[in-house]
Amino acid sequence: MTEDSLQPPITALQVTRLLQALREGELGGDIGLMRWSSNFTFLTSLQHEELAFMVIYKPRSGERPLWDFPDGTLCLREVAAWETAHALGWDIVPPTVLREGAHGLGSVQYFIDHDPEQTYFTFPPETRAQLRRLSLFDHIINNADRKGGHCLLDARGRLWGIDHGIAFNAEHRLRTVIWDFAGDEIPASLLADMDAFASRLGDEQSPVSLRLSSLLDAYEVAALRHRITRLLEQGRWPQPGHGPNVPWPPV
């Protein structure tokens, strides 16, 4: 991470502007394939009016088939994760949109400048409050792949979660390295955010319900409602269940 990076900081006032740029901007031709990704993942530039920054482009055509997720839906789930986090008021997922790119339809996400040597396993203690939200978010979206390297710290010490392509399954698929808070009471402020989100999600004609319904199957949206209702009723982080609870590899 460098102070002279192209990446402008994400603030509440900039989110709308960034989303417009992500949807309408010109993607650069200098696409670079990201190594070690299970699916085709490209780092490329985006230009929109005076804004210029880097993005992550994940085309549907490059998705590896999975037995427990419908083909061609991983890019949709990336966008659904952004929509869910944003609706919760937890801007812990970089702004993400669905659009056409050089390899067809895919998700395009604002790239978070970070030190790749820093992961969940090396974060300082002061990130704990931010990790609470990210951990709870994974329970809400049923994230099947929260590796340590899918947690990023930007230059300002802000925590971001990335790689949400295998989330929102209607069946229990939670796999995460963040079990620090298992059994703890959920803070009142986070419960209030979840309750407000649940109210909007309960209205099938609300903007967030309509957006999520365009990205996920109806039974997956229903399962999302059920998970957040259960968390509100219990008021605690769930304990690990039977079977694998941590993704492999963990980083």
Side-chain angles (χ1 to χ4, degrees):
M1 294 177 289
T2 60
E3 290 301 319
D4 59 349
S5 168
L6 280 175
Q7 300 302 91
I10 299 177
T11 66
L13 292 176
Q14 269 196 309
V15 168
T16 300
R17 180 73 182 88
L18 284 175
L19 288 172
Q20 181 186 19
L22 288 168
R23 294 188 183 104
E24 302 175 5
E26 182 179 354
L27 292 171
D30 52 339
I31 291 180
L33 184 65
M34 303 285 283
R35 298 179 65 190
W36 316 122
S37 297
S38 300
N39 304 287
F40 280 8
T41 301
F42 299 96
L43 175 67
T44 188
S45 60
L46 182 144
Q47 178 80 41
H48 185 260
E49 297 175 350
E50 78 284 0
L51 274 181
F53 51 89
M54 304 302 291
V55 296
I56 295 293
Y57 166 47
K58 295 184 177 181
R60 171 184 275 173
S61 61
E63 295 178 2
R64 177 171 56 89
L66 299 171
W67 70 270
D68 52 351
F69 286 85
D71 292 352
T73 66
L74 274 58
C75 59
L76 306 179
R77 296 167 196 276
E78 293 277 6
V79 182
W82 149 255
E83 292 285 357
T84 300
H86 191 60
L88 281 161
W90 302 349
D91 290 327
I92 51 179
V93 176
T96 312
V97 303
L98 190 70
R99 60 166 289 178
E100 291 287 334
H103 298 282
L105 185 71
S107 63
V108 175
Q109 183 176 85
Y110 180 93
F111 174 71
I112 298 298
D113 236 344
H114 65 285
D115 179 356
E117 297 300 317
Q118 272 201 311
T119 73
Y120 159 79
F121 297 104
T122 65
F123 288 163
E126 52 265 31
T127 62
R128 188 170 177 82
Q130 296 186 75
L131 280 170
R132 281 195 184 96
R133 283 196 312 176
L134 187 59
S135 171
L136 197 54
F137 178 68
D138 287 338
H139 285 282
I140 291 170
I141 70 170
N142 196 20
N143 189 358
D145 196 32
R146 174 62 71 205
K147 294 182 172 70
H150 295 173
C151 312
L152 312 181
L153 276 182
D154 68 17
R156 296 160 185 83
R158 184 172 173 181
L159 180 67
W160 299 92
I162 62 166
D163 285 342
H164 300 106
I166 51 174
F168 296 101
N169 200 305
E171 302 293 330
H172 180 73
R173 291 288 184 272
L174 183 68
R175 306 287 185 273
T176 176
V177 296
I178 312 174
W179 287 105
D180 310 49
F181 313 105
D184 289 0
E185 288 188 11
I186 300 172
S189 60
L190 298 183
L191 287 172
D193 293 339
M194 293 163 59
D195 188 53
F197 174 64
S199 296
R200 281 178 284 159
L201 197 61
D203 177 3
E204 295 184 359
Q205 296 305 309
S206 70
V208 66
S209 287
L210 292 174
R211 287 194 296 270
L212 288 173
S213 295
S214 71
L215 299 164
L216 305 170
D217 284 333
Y219 63 87
E220 292 173 327
V221 177
L224 171 62
R225 293 190 183 103
H226 175 73
R227 286 193 299 273
I228 197 165
T229 298
R230 186 179 61 212
L231 285 166
L232 286 167
E233 290 172 350
Q234 295 174 343
R236 291 180 178 274
W237 269 270
Q239 297 281 359
H242 296 293
N245 296 295
V246 176
W248 187 262
V251 179

